[in-house]
């Protein structure tokens, strides 16, 4: 289908990028209060049909925006995102209200006085927190519906899924409900919905963004930005990569600014980057023709911009069994902390996954960890030859909302249609999705960019070759 009322041209404040908002504040063209009012009005407009938010923080956001406006008028902005509206996935703690995690097992009672590390960094940099976005229960699957908050829908076609588990965040950014959002990614949960909704999403290197409380899915789970483009994501990554003592697995803060490096690289772009293009992981993945064509055209563009492109496949077979072992163990750990009555309230699919995880032996878990390390070694060797691996983000475009897998596909679990995403949670590499076109139904198509661990800046540099927003 064509453009819907939820996809507009960038003529309103709510549809500006974070960088454009900051430039307007700096010039005095408009204020953080103007922008926040525009974004909040947009949220109210899209929420009834998209269901991207579990909570809209209207009054706190307006108070933050007024304070930011005062700082800008005084010429004293306090951080990199002062006055920029940002939403937060409802798996991450945000002081002042409950973090429900899409679950009826979560009580709203309590002080809710603590911010997750990334949220704390947002406050320190003056961001305006406009609300919490929807997630499937505990972020367990690749679409966004939950017993607590219902179904989240795609801005390009509300009959379709937004993807998940950061579906609310991706739908919000795509529809103009704040230019930035914090998401999490344990098997593709930033990249899947960003691809389905036609926005940029980055899963940074594991540990690049501190996480607290620790995820039940352990070192599979990353925190990262969802944005309109790579440059905005780089700005957000600069903010949320700050240190936090509560995460002992976090990396040292980066020695450089990702946004500044991206600006410095603008003159040379991607000239000289060694890019491997794997259209189907060596024939292991059946990719829809429209997706394959759009990704191939985008790769041709990369070559035309001076990258050295070679068709090459990474050296591994589908690690889905390894992923399922670790993922189901995480769900079992989650469910084990609940009482019998609470378990009855859970998403049936989550309960099924937890049953599988509870049956695993210690030897099976150790074998999965060993296989994970081997996969990481193979990818490290692959990146001795190539700076970036390019694949489709997903082999399909968005399917009907309210389902874990497409109707008629014979697939049971979400991992059946996400074979390009979860391998790189196992390897802990940085991976991003960038929109590269639309299919005949007006649904976005994403291209995935993967680099070696700690080379987040390389992913952003490659993604910056695609600054345009797709149209259909």
């Amino acid at each position: 289908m064509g453009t819907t009322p939820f996809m507009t041209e960038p003529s309103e404040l709510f549809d500006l990028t974070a960088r454009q908002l900051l430039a307007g504040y700096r010039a005095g063209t408009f204020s953080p209060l103007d922008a926040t009012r525009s974004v909040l009005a947009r949220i109210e407009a899209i929420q009834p049909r998209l269901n991207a938010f579990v909570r809209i923080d209207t009054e706190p956001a307006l108070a933050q925006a007024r304070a930011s406006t005062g700082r800008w008028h005084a010429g004293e902005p306090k951080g990199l995102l002062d006055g920029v509206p940002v939403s937060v996935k409802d798996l991450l703690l945000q002081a002042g209200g409950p973090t429900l995690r899409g679950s009826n097992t979560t009580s709203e009672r309590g002080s809710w006085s603590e911010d997750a590390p990334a949220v704390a960094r947002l406050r320190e940099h003056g961001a305006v927190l406009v609300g919490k976005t929807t997630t499937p229960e505990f972020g367990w699957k690749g679409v966004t519906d939950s017993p607590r908050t219902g179904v989240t829908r795609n801005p390009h076609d509300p009959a379709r899924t937004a993807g998940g588990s950061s579906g609310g965040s991706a739908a919000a950014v795509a529809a103009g409900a704040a230019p930035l959002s914090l998401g999490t990614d344990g098997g593709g949960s930033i990249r899947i919905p960003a691809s389905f909704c036609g926005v940029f999403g980055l899963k940074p290197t594991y540990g690049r963004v501190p996480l607290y409380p620790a995820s039940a899915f352990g070192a599979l789970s990353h925190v990262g930005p969802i944005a309109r483009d790579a440059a905005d994501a780089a700005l957000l990554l600069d903010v949320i990569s700050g240190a936090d003592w509560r995460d002992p697995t976090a990396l040292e803060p980066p020695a450089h600014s990702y946004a500044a490096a991206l600006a410095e690289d603008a003159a040379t772009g991607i000239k000289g980057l060694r890019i491997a293009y794997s259209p189907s992981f060596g024939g292991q993945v059946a990719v829809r023709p429209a997706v394959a064509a759009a990704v191939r055209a985008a790769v041709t563009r990369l070559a035309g911009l001076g990258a050295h492109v070679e068709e090459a496949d990474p050296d591994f077979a589908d690690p889905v069994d390894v992923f399922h072992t670790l993922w189901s163990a995480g769900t079992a750990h989650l469910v084990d902390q609940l009482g019998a009555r609470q378990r009855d309230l859970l998403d049936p699919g989550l309960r099924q996954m937890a049953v599988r995880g509870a049956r695993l032996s210690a030897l099976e878990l150790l074998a999965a960890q060993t296989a994970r390390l081997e996969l990481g070694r193979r990818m490290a060797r692959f990146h001795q030859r190539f700076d970036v691996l390019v694949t489709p983000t997903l082999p399909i475009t968005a399917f009907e909302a309210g389902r874990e897998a497409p109707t008629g596909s014979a697939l049971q679990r979400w991992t059946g249609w996400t074979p390009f995403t979860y391998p790189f949670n196992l390897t802990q590499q940085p991976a991003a999705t960038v929109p590269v076109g639309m299919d005949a139904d007006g649904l976005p198509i994403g291209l995935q960019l993967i680099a070696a661990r700690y080379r987040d800046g390389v992913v952003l540099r490659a993604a910056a070759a695609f600054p345009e927003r797709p149209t259909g």
Side-chain angles (χ1 to χ4, degrees), residues 23-63:
Y25 302 161
R26 201 172 293 114
T29 308
F30 47 80
S31 72
L33 185 57
D34 296 328
T36 299
R37 284 173 171 159
S38 179
V39 165
L40 289 170
R42 184 62 173 171
I43 293 172
E44 293 290 347
I46 68 163
Q47 178 63 9
R49 289 193 65 190
L50 299 187
N51 188 33
F53 286 80
V54 62
R55 189 179 80 235
I56 303 168
D57 291 327
T58 301
E59 292 308 318
L62 290 172

Side-chain angles (χ1 to χ4, degrees), residues 42-428:
R42 184 62 173 171
I43 293 172
E44 293 290 347
I46 68 163
Q47 178 63 9
R49 289 193 65 190
L50 299 187
N51 188 33
F53 286 80
V54 62
R55 189 179 80 235
I56 303 168
D57 291 327
T58 301
E59 292 308 318
L62 290 172
Q64 294 163 28
R66 291 187 186 97
S68 175
T69 297
R71 292 192 293 269
W72 279 102
H73 283 169
E76 299 176 347
K78 76 173 185 178
L80 296 177
L81 291 176
D82 202 349
V84 175
V86 184
S87 63
V88 175
K89 183 179 181 180
D90 200 39
L91 291 184
L92 298 169
L93 294 177
Q94 180 180 321
T99 297
L100 301 174
R101 302 176 176 91
S103 180
N104 286 321
T105 68
T106 304
S107 171
E108 296 188 29
R109 295 191 299 272
S111 62
W112 300 104
S113 59
E114 191 170 22
D115 284 328
V119 177
R121 302 294 86 77
L122 287 176
R123 290 194 198 273
E124 291 167 7
H125 283 263
V128 175
L129 304 179
V130 295
K132 301 295 290 293
T133 58
T134 51
T135 175
E137 194 162 30
F138 300 111
W140 83 271
K141 60 183 175 180
V143 294
T144 299
D145 57 68
S146 78
R148 183 136 198 172
T149 58
V151 177
T152 296
R153 300 177 181 276
N154 195 305
H156 294 267
D157 180 354
R160 311 282 183 131
T161 180
S165 63
S166 304
S169 288
V173 172
L180 301 173
S181 191
L182 287 184
T184 65
D185 190 315
S189 288
I190 286 173
R191 292 159 289 155
I192 294 165
S195 180
F196 275 178
C197 292
V199 293
F200 181 84
L202 171 67
K203 176 186 75 67
T205 299
Y206 179 76
R208 172 56 60 213
V209 180
L211 175 61
Y212 172 86
S215 169
F217 301 109
L220 292 172
S221 189
H222 306 225
V223 178
I226 295 176
R228 304 261 170 76
D229 58 26
D232 262 16
L235 181 61
L236 181 52
L237 188 60
D238 279 343
V239 169
I240 62 178
S241 294
D244 195 288
W245 61 269
R246 293 172 292 176
D247 183 356
T249 69
L251 302 175
E252 285 289 318
H256 62 276
S257 161
Y258 291 109
L262 204 57
E264 291 170 6
D265 289 337
T268 56
I270 60 170
K271 289 179 182 178
L273 273 187
R274 301 167 300 164
I275 294 178
Y277 166 45
S278 179
S280 62
F281 281 169
Q284 295 183 75
V285 182
V287 179
R288 190 168 293 174
V291 174
V295 173
R296 185 172 289 277
V299 170
T300 300
R301 173 179 180 163
L302 293 175
L305 292 172
H308 301 301
V309 178
E310 177 182 337
E311 193 162 320
D313 300 309
D315 177 27
F316 63 76
D318 185 357
V320 67
D321 290 338
V322 175
F323 182 81
H324 277 167
T325 295
L326 298 173
W327 198 252
S328 62
T331 58
H333 177 59
L334 269 171
V335 172
D336 188 58
Q337 300 173 61
L338 303 175
R341 290 186 178 179
Q342 288 179 304
R343 293 177 193 179
D344 290 339
L345 301 174
L346 292 171
D347 183 327
L350 175 60
R351 288 202 305 268
Q352 292 168 12
M353 187 70 75
V355 168
R356 171 178 177 165
R359 293 171 179 165
L360 293 168
S361 70
L363 289 178
E364 287 173 303
L365 286 172
L366 288 171
Q369 293 289 6
T370 299
R372 179 183 193 172
L373 291 172
E374 172 59 17
L375 181 63
R377 185 191 68 80
R378 288 173 181 248
M379 284 307 302
R381 182 175 62 190
F382 184 83
H383 284 292
Q384 299 301 303
R385 292 179 54 207
F386 299 104
D387 299 306
V388 178
L389 169 64
V390 170
T391 74
T393 306
L394 298 165
I396 60 175
T397 52
F399 51 89
E400 55 268 60
R403 296 186 56 86
E404 187 180 341
T407 300
S409 67
L411 299 173
Q412 299 299 313
R413 294 268 81 102
W414 62 273
T415 44
W417 51 270
T418 60
F420 293 113
T421 61
Y422 55 76
F424 306 106
N425 293 82
L426 291 167
T427 61
Q428 304 185 344

